Amino acid sequence: MKDLSQATANIGKFQDSHVTADGQDRASVALSNPETLWFNTGTLCNIECANCYIFSSPSNDALAYISADEVQIYLDQIEERNWPVKEIGFTGGEPFMNPQMINMTRLALARGYRVLILTNAMAPMMRKTVQAGLSQLNSDFPNQMVIRVSLDHFDSDVHDAERGAGSFAKTLLGMQWLQENGFSMAVAGRSQWGDSDADSRVGYAALFTEHEFSIDAYNPGQTVLFPEMDAAVEVPEITTACWGILDKSPNDVMCSSSRMVVKRKGASSPTVLACTLLPYSLEFELGQTLAEAERDVHLNHAHCAKFCVLGGASCSA
């Protein structure tokens, strides 16, 4: 799946893994502290957003449903490799469309990991069987699981323009169920509509107060505002000199502390990627095992610059 808009916006850039377009050494990031292992549960989703970075939809099964048995294999590998993982993340697509989602979550919780689930909190999560499964998990493993709800904007019209008419109201219903049933909840918003960070947080704070949601709009861990990920926007390449110029460390970048497991459609087994944001770029596919995934990641994509280095964002909690 080729991203033609990036090729247009960044002509000549991001062509060589080791060297930038102007001949400088490209920055790379070592896996210095693997704290989060992500599992993509599959790209199928109950809705199709206007600007989904992973192109999730009711028909896109490019990333197949991962199974509980496959998740178990990687949980075993964490221990075999002695990775200091604290958190297991599940993302999609819509994770609650995967029929083994509750079982996969239980496997991770039973090992003592914190679990972070990214969801739109709409119809798949609100099925009675899923609600019952989640409630049992929350009872069996109190304070160990966070449900992060995708609420792109605090204004319903702006949110619905991205996710479809009526989606804001449906998501709020899901959030109300989570709140009423004692779940730890967070929100993921987006900053692409021109609101300042401060204004966005004021807007979310008013929404949370109105609905009595126990979410702190001013805590970046509870209300995550992701920077714009538009591959059509020109961005600078990140060189080794940029760390000093930007006063940043490679250890601040998401791929220093996380990896993501996906299963491609038709594949016999899953594979490990460097990043949650680049599921279709084969350059960022590191191998089928965590041992293979321990190698350095060269920041050879516009998202590396825009989202992680310059935007300072991370998908983890």
Side-chain angles (χ1 to χ4, degrees):
M1 189 173 295
K2 188 175 181 181
D3 192 337
L4 296 178
S5 59
Q6 180 191 331
T8 301
N10 295 286
I11 293 175
K13 297 180 179 179
F14 307 108
Q15 301 299 308
D16 187 301
S17 296
H18 298 276
V19 181
T20 63
D22 60 0
Q24 299 185 64
D25 290 334
R26 185 178 303 284
S28 63
V29 173
L31 185 67
S32 58
N33 186 30
E35 292 187 332
T36 303
L37 183 62
W38 286 92
F39 291 94
N40 187 293
T41 61
T43 38
L44 286 174
C45 187
N46 55 303
I47 58 175
E48 185 171 3
C49 297
N51 294 291
C52 178
Y53 77 95
I54 200 171
F55 308 110
S56 296
S57 76
S59 61
N60 179 17
D61 60 352
L63 300 184
Y65 286 151
I66 199 165
S67 72
D69 286 343
E70 289 163 338
V71 167
Q72 182 89 283
I73 289 170
Y74 286 96
L75 296 179
D76 289 341
Q77 288 184 31
I78 290 173
E79 297 179 6
E80 293 165 3
R81 301 302 299 171
N82 199 30
W83 281 18
V85 168
K86 299 177 181 177
E87 175 186 67
I88 300 298
F90 292 100
T91 184
E94 170 50 49
F96 291 114
M97 290 186 68
N98 186 313
Q100 298 191 37
M101 185 61 210
I102 298 299
N103 290 340
M104 293 188 291
T105 304
R106 179 170 289 278
L107 288 173
L109 291 169
R111 301 258 187 149
Y113 297 116
R114 296 192 310 259
V115 168
L116 176 64
I117 302 175
L118 278 53
T119 177
N120 57 40
M122 295 172 72
M125 190 195 77
M126 295 294 278
R127 298 197 308 271
K128 294 300 182 183
T129 54
V130 173
Q131 289 180 328
L134 280 174
S135 295
Q136 190 63 55
L137 290 174
N138 205 37
S139 175
D140 293 344
F141 304 96
N143 303 314
Q144 205 176 317
M145 177 173 59
V146 174
I147 310 296
R148 182 189 287 169
V149 179
S150 297
L151 195 66
D152 287 332
H153 201 270
F154 50 84
D155 181 273
S156 61
D157 290 340
V158 179
H159 176 92
D160 284 2
E162 172 66 23
R163 292 181 176 256
S167 61
F168 186 85
K170 293 175 183 177
T171 292
L172 287 190
L173 284 176
M175 294 176 69
Q176 288 164 359
W177 179 82
L178 291 168
Q179 177 73 29
E180 291 167 0
N181 287 275
F183 287 87
S184 296
M185 187 169 37
V187 155
R190 300 172 68 175
S191 59
Q192 73 177 61
W193 290 283
D195 298 319
S196 69
D197 183 271
D199 288 343
S200 292
R201 296 190 184 281
V202 168
Y204 278 107
L207 179 70
F208 299 158
T209 298
E210 177 186 353
H211 293 277
E212 300 182 342
F213 293 146
S214 299
I215 307 171
D216 185 351
Y218 300 98
N219 181 337
Q222 292 189 30
T223 303
V224 187
L225 300 180
F226 288 121
E228 180 183 7
M229 287 202 316
D230 184 351
V233 174
E234 183 178 5
V235 295
E237 296 183 282
I238 305 300
T239 70
T240 54
C242 288
W243 302 125
I245 295 170
L246 298 171
D247 192 26
K248 291 182 70 90
S249 166
N251 295 334
D252 298 331
V253 181
M254 188 164 58
C255 53
S256 72
S257 60
S258 69
R259 293 289 186 263
M260 183 170 76
V261 179
V262 306
K263 188 172 184 182
R264 302 196 187 282
K265 183 178 181 179
S268 59
S269 59
T271 190
V272 187
L273 308 183
C275 180
T276 60
L277 307 177
L278 299 169
Y280 302 120
S281 179
L282 296 182
E283 179 181 350
F284 292 88
E285 186 171 308
L286 302 177
Q288 294 184 350
T289 68
L290 296 188
E292 294 172 291
E294 289 174 354
R295 56 193 172 97
D296 293 358
V297 177
H298 296 271
L299 304 183
N300 192 31
H301 195 281
H303 288 346
C304 303
K306 178 72 173 178
F307 187 88
C308 294
V309 178
L310 300 177
S314 172
C315 292
S316 299

